[in-house]
Amino acid sequence: MLNTHIEHPEDTILTGNLDFLHAVKSYAVAPHGHVSVKIDGAPAVVWGTHPDTGRFFVGTKSVFNKKLIKVNYTHADIDKNHKGYVAIVLHACLSNLSRTNRIYQGDFLGFGGDNVFQPNTVTYVFPENVVQTIIVAPHTMYSIDYAVDKPNHNPLRDMKATPLLRELESNDKVYFYQPTAVMNVNSYLRDRVDFALQMAQMVKFVDQSEAKMLQRELNDYIRESKEIDSDDFGDYNLTLIGFYNLIMKIKEALLYSCKSNQVAMTLIEGEECDGEGYVFHSKYGSFKLVDRRHFSYYNFNLVREWSG
């Protein structure tokens, strides 16, 4: 797949896209796919050898921009393209990440010398102090899509993104944090998916434009930690909101079936949790498995201390 934003399953179904349900059903038959721990780091860091220049670079997700592309080969490039905490992180990444012929993306967790890190909403507590200079949680690898042949395209944006299945080796400068995960689709989940596929035939879905407006309304409910009641969305077919809630419940059951070998304890506002969640990758696409009633509420209301 190309580098695209990973969506919440319940958001994808608003237009009638049932790929999430097909992905879960396919995984239940034979576990084709991959589940990874979703790390709540910030900022996102992309690094590797640029396919056009052959030079090592670091950057944020802005390396994938259509127009204002921010690729940093030198510290001077970072000073020109970025500011604040993001610039500090990228300077450290350029100085410490090992040169590689590949291109990776990961989440920045923090600077070593301590065992407690809160890069975003989730706090990570390691059993011992991390001695390396920087901590990065890599999750994606990119490869050239030779099928893309168009003028003035961004070769990084048009690369194929795949889940990182190999473990990157930590060294004395960089600690790569890569917990693994497993998922269990039990008989209850299989029955709920079959029921949802039947129910979908009776749902009146909306187009892309309406779906974006509806997502904003639904996000307001999540931000305010309010229950999503079909009666509150009179402008939409009641079956669609009911179906949205059904998909969210299937997603949450799937989330709670996931287990990981995370070394770090994860907390939100001092309360232990199972991290941000997981990402489910399959031939039907990739989907976030996050408890939005819990995590997204804090994430929406977080006052961020860093900027790009």
Side-chain angles (χ1 to χ4, degrees):
M1 63 178 178
L2 294 178
N3 177 56
T4 55
H5 180 68
I6 299 175
E7 299 286 353
H8 296 282
E10 58 271 22
D11 287 344
T12 65
I13 59 86
L14 295 174
T15 58
N17 183 339
L18 303 180
D19 283 348
F20 171 67
L21 295 174
H22 293 304
V24 177
K25 187 165 185 175
S26 175
Y27 192 90
V29 174
H32 298 304
H34 174 69
V35 182
S36 59
V37 177
K38 195 172 190 311
I39 300 296
D40 186 36
V45 178
V46 183
W47 74 97
T49 297
H50 196 286
D52 279 0
T53 66
R55 298 173 63 190
F56 181 81
F57 74 94
V58 298
T60 64
K61 286 189 284 189
S62 60
V63 303
F64 302 122
N65 286 349
K66 288 183 178 180
K67 294 182 178 179
L68 187 59
I69 304 168
K70 299 180 181 180
V71 176
N72 308 289
Y73 301 109
T74 66
H75 291 286
D77 290 337
I78 295 172
D79 289 333
K80 180 180 69 176
N81 291 327
H82 304 276
K83 62 182 180 180
Y85 182 68
V86 171
I88 294 171
V89 168
L90 292 179
H91 279 301
C93 288
L94 185 60
S95 296
N96 292 284
L97 286 169
S98 298
R99 274 44 184 168
T100 173
N101 291 327
R102 301 179 183 273
I103 296 177
Y104 299 108
Q105 180 177 335
D107 292 304
F108 190 79
L109 279 182
F111 295 93
D114 201 346
N115 72 318
V116 180
F117 307 92
Q118 188 182 0
N120 208 6
T121 304
V122 176
T123 299
Y124 293 85
V125 183
F126 289 84
E128 298 179 347
N129 283 0
V130 176
V131 298
Q132 286 88 342
T133 305
I134 59 175
I135 307 140
V136 179
H139 54 71
T140 303
M141 184 171 68
Y142 294 91
S143 59
I144 297 174
D145 185 357
Y146 291 100
V148 175
D149 184 19
K150 54 187 177 183
N152 302 319
H153 77 282
N154 178 352
L156 297 178
R157 181 181 177 84
D158 295 328
M159 296 188 92
K160 287 183 177 179
T162 55
L164 180 58
L165 302 181
R166 58 185 291 262
E167 185 173 341
L168 300 188
E169 187 174 348
S170 299
N171 53 49
D172 59 346
K173 294 182 178 180
V174 183
Y175 176 39
F176 287 121
Y177 185 54
Q178 289 180 263
T180 58
V182 294
M183 183 173 73
N184 176 38
V185 181
N186 57 26
S187 58
Y188 168 80
L189 273 166
R190 291 195 295 269
D191 290 343
R192 298 303 289 173
V193 167
D194 286 338
F195 173 70
L197 286 170
Q198 292 176 353
M199 288 297 296
Q201 300 175 42
M202 296 179 284
V203 176
K204 182 180 178 181
F205 296 103
V206 296
D207 60 25
Q208 288 286 354
S209 177
E210 291 178 296
K212 288 181 180 179
M213 290 189 292
L214 181 53
Q215 279 184 42
R216 286 195 290 268
E217 292 184 47
L218 291 165
N219 283 342
D220 286 341
Y221 272 65
I222 295 169
R223 185 181 293 111
E224 297 169 14
S225 195
K226 293 168 59 178
E227 287 296 320
I228 297 172
D229 190 332
S230 299
D231 292 337
D232 294 338
F233 294 82
D235 293 337
Y236 299 95
N237 186 290
L238 295 181
T239 59
L240 178 56
I241 305 303
F243 192 66
Y244 177 94
N245 280 328
L246 172 60
I247 298 302
M248 185 178 282
K249 289 178 181 177
I250 291 174
K251 184 272 302 281
E252 289 173 354
L254 197 63
L255 165 64
Y256 299 136
S257 82
C258 295
K259 305 295 179 186
S260 75
N261 65 347
Q262 285 211 69
V263 172
M265 179 190 300
T266 49
L267 311 169
I268 294 182
E269 294 196 344
E271 189 174 315
E272 191 169 354
C273 63
D274 191 24
E276 180 179 355
Y278 300 85
V279 179
F280 174 30
H281 309 274
S282 80
K283 65 180 181 180
Y284 295 96
S286 296
F287 307 93
K288 296 178 186 178
L289 305 181
V290 175
D291 185 346
R292 299 178 80 179
R293 293 184 176 91
H294 183 66
F295 175 82
S296 292
Y297 167 76
Y298 291 105
N299 193 43
F300 274 133
N301 292 285
L302 177 70
V303 177
R304 301 185 188 280
E305 297 179 351
W306 54 268
S307 64

